[in-house]
Amino acid sequence: MAIPKSVVFDSGKLRILDQTLLPGTEVYLECTSVEQVVRAISNLSVRGAPAIGIAAAYGLILGLEHSSLDSTALQQEIRDRAVRLKATRPTAVNLCWAVDRVLVVAERFYDQNADTTVSEEERYGARLARALRQAADSIFDEDRKACRLIGENGRHLIRQRPRVLTHCNAGSLAVSELGTALAPIYLAHQQGVPVHVYVDETRPLLQGSRLTAFELGRQGVDCTLISDNMAAHVMSLGQVDLVIVGADRVAANGDTANKIGTLNLAILCDHFNIPFYVACPCSTIDLGTDTGSQIEIEERAPEEVRQVLGRPSAPVDVAVFNPAFDVTPAALITGLITEKGIIKGPNAEKLKLLI
Ligand code: MRU
């Protein structure tokens, strides 16, 4: 059975799959305003670094076509939207990267067309919307191609080591389609490799159990759900050949921010001598951030930890620390699986050559 698309843009409307309701309910939010997109990204209706970049890129365009604002006011509106969208989630670099790519097109369009006559002015919004739509569509298409190549570049790892553990969700739901960490798994599975995936539940918001187990099931990939604190035990039993996770931002030296709990796994892999791979498109590599210590880590509401799926699981006033991501040092990463190939032992020199 097909996995529903995370983001669909059609006829000027952005449809965002509400991932907070998965696996039970498949509902799309129909977004016609940037406020709705900001909300959908903030509350994780759409999540996963590439998917939020794509959603934000389309969010910049909503309603422009029929806008009655003049070129200067419209340009200011786009700049304001960019600021609001970028502020939603600070760790995933794909968000800023995608918004900035569309913004550059908007600025260029404005420079070339701002002094239009009054009659041309009427068509400004529609022409601008078309130009920006092209930019957002390219981001979507490039992500699709990158995910496919990540899958192709990584699938031989699965052939050799078919029992894979993954954390959070870096699958189809987190990108345009197919995924990053799950892409090599899907391609190996399609080729008849007997893949078995251990899925970390991924507290506090359960992206592993709600999303990864859901999409692996849809694709008929064999999987076993474990809670996060079981990973060491499963590894100690010799049942994990390989770990593959996604990334929200890879610093220039290879240090990688990903869902909280990823660092635990990297340390465990080091202990048990299990290869630890990070799969990501090059758009997740941020040469402007030197090391992992400079990556801003998003902190989320305490209720996410005091509750499980909206029900209290702790005293209502207990103090909580809720960082959404952690940083794995490059030294613990066996390799980065990218659309341009696998970078073994990522470091500043190798990443500079790659980008
Ligand atoms: O908070 P989330 O669900 O957006 O976190 C997602 C992750 O940590 C993913 O591993 C990462 O964004 C890569 S998605 C291809």
Side-chain angles (χ1 to χ4, degrees), residues 44 47-50 89 167-171 174-175 180 207 246-248 258-259 324-325:
L44 309 197
R47 30 66 51 203
R89 301 201 71 193
H167 189 65
C168 193
N169 174 264
V175 300
T180 58
Q207 287 93 332
D248 281 80
N258 190 49
K259 178 53 57 193
F325 303 97

Side-chain angles (χ1 to χ4, degrees), residues 34 38 56-65 67 69-86 98-110 124-133 135:
V34 73
V38 163
Y58 285 118
L60 287 170
I61 305 172
L62 293 175
L64 293 189
E65 201 176 347
S67 171
L69 295 175
D70 68 20
S71 53
T72 303
L74 214 45
Q75 194 55 20
Q76 193 51 49
E77 161 72 15
I78 292 167
R79 288 177 193 148
D80 291 346
R81 287 183 184 195
V83 170
R84 270 145 65 207
L85 286 162
K86 285 204 252 182
V99 167
D100 284 340
R101 252 183 76 162
V102 178
L103 198 56
V104 163
V105 175
E107 298 291 1
R108 198 183 312 129
F109 191 90
Y110 179 65
Y124 185 87
R127 286 187 294 133
L128 174 64
R130 229 179 3 260
L132 301 195
R133 164 85 197 255

